[in-house]
Amino acid sequence: MTQEANDGTMQPSIMHKFRASVAQPILHSILHTELSQAVYTAEHVESLGTKLGVEISSRLASEPGWDRYKFITNIVVSQPGPGARMSSSCVWDSNSDCVVRESFVSPNIR
């Protein structure tokens, strides 16, 4: 745990600030590793989404200085065919909160 966790500060230091440019390749790597050979099946899609969410959150939390962050993952897995559009909203602090998006599309899974 970092010194920040013990000194009562509410904001991360500039060195430990969440950076989308660091998180993006992590998301990309996980999705391509886990989904490149995956085939959509209704029976397994829930466990697949859960597995992806846990792995993404764990990998992000293991980055130096990011252990105090709370990560929200929203995983949508759909079968091949017509796509769907999703939207969500959240209230946050623009000084310390951030969003990172990644998509994976293949002939077998969306």
Side-chain angles (χ1 to χ4, degrees):
M1 196 159 260
T2 65
Q3 175 64 27
E4 293 170 337
N6 299 324
D7 67 8
T9 59
M10 296 296 288
Q11 297 288 332
S13 70
I14 192 71
M15 292 189 61
H16 293 133
K17 189 169 182 171
F18 182 85
R19 298 190 194 294
S21 62
V22 173
Q24 191 72 45
I26 293 171
L27 272 63
H28 181 84
S29 172
I30 291 170
L31 292 182
H32 283 267
T33 299
E34 296 294 327
L35 298 177
S36 61
Q37 300 300 316
V39 176
Y40 182 92
T41 59
E43 299 82 30
H44 298 108
V45 73
E46 183 177 350
S47 62
L48 176 61
T50 300
K51 177 183 176 185
L52 289 170
V54 168
E55 185 168 349
I56 289 168
S57 294
S58 296
R59 287 270 303 276
L60 292 176
S62 70
E63 285 295 308
W66 290 3
D67 55 335
R68 293 186 64 202
Y69 281 94
K70 304 257 189 284
F71 298 102
I72 299 169
T73 56
N74 183 13
I75 310 291
V76 177
V77 180
S78 66
Q79 60 190 351
R85 292 279 182 190
M86 303 279 306
S87 74
S88 62
S89 62
C90 186
V91 177
W92 68 27
D93 178 354
S94 61
N95 290 322
S96 60
D97 296 337
C98 183
V99 64
V100 179
R101 293 180 185 92
E102 181 65 29
S103 296
F104 178 88
V105 177
S106 80
N108 300 323
I109 201 164
R110 296 178 64 98

